[in-house]
Amino acid sequence: MIKLEKEKKIINRLRRTEGQIRGIQKMIEDEKECIDIITQLSAVRSSIDRAMGLIVAENLKDCLENPEKDPNEQAKKMEQAIHMIIKK
């Protein structure tokens, strides 16, 4: 149940981001000020970063809470998650 709630939160965040992107497209079409467009693009970037963080955190949490899974697979998942965090 908790996992489903977290998935819903991530999906809702992505839907809001999608709406923001549509708004930015309209701003460009309406020839709004550059600074306003950049501000909205920055907000989209932050929203996506938060969604990525939630997903990476959930992946790491799963690895730590379920040690009975294949240790090699868990190590691979953890390495990928850390790489995604460092990549920024």
Side-chain angles (χ1 to χ4, degrees):
M1 188 64 153
I2 293 173
K3 186 175 181 179
L4 183 60
E5 290 175 19
K6 289 182 181 186
E7 287 175 2
K8 284 183 179 182
K9 285 182 181 181
I10 292 169
I11 289 171
N12 286 338
R13 179 177 300 280
L14 292 174
R15 285 186 178 140
R16 281 193 305 273
T17 303
E18 181 181 20
Q20 286 177 296
I21 291 173
R22 281 194 301 270
I24 293 167
Q25 291 169 339
K26 181 155 178 26
M27 289 174 75
I28 292 170
E29 290 169 353
D30 294 345
E31 299 180 357
K32 297 293 182 183
E33 292 291 323
C34 176
I35 189 69
D36 296 330
I37 294 169
I38 297 302
T39 299
Q40 291 304 311
L41 285 169
S42 179
V44 166
R45 182 184 334 174
S46 294
S47 181
I48 290 172
D49 285 345
R50 284 191 299 272
M52 286 175 58
L54 289 170
I55 292 168
V56 169
E58 194 60 35
N59 182 33
L60 287 172
K61 184 179 173 187
D62 181 58
C63 286
L64 295 172
E65 289 180 345
N66 298 298
E68 70 277 358
K69 292 183 179 178
D70 178 16
N72 291 328
E73 184 64 29
Q74 283 186 321
K76 183 179 174 184
K77 279 182 161 183
M78 291 179 78
E79 186 177 325
Q80 288 173 335
I82 291 168
H83 178 70
M84 291 300 293
I85 293 169
I86 294 172
K87 186 176 171 183
K88 287 192 71 181

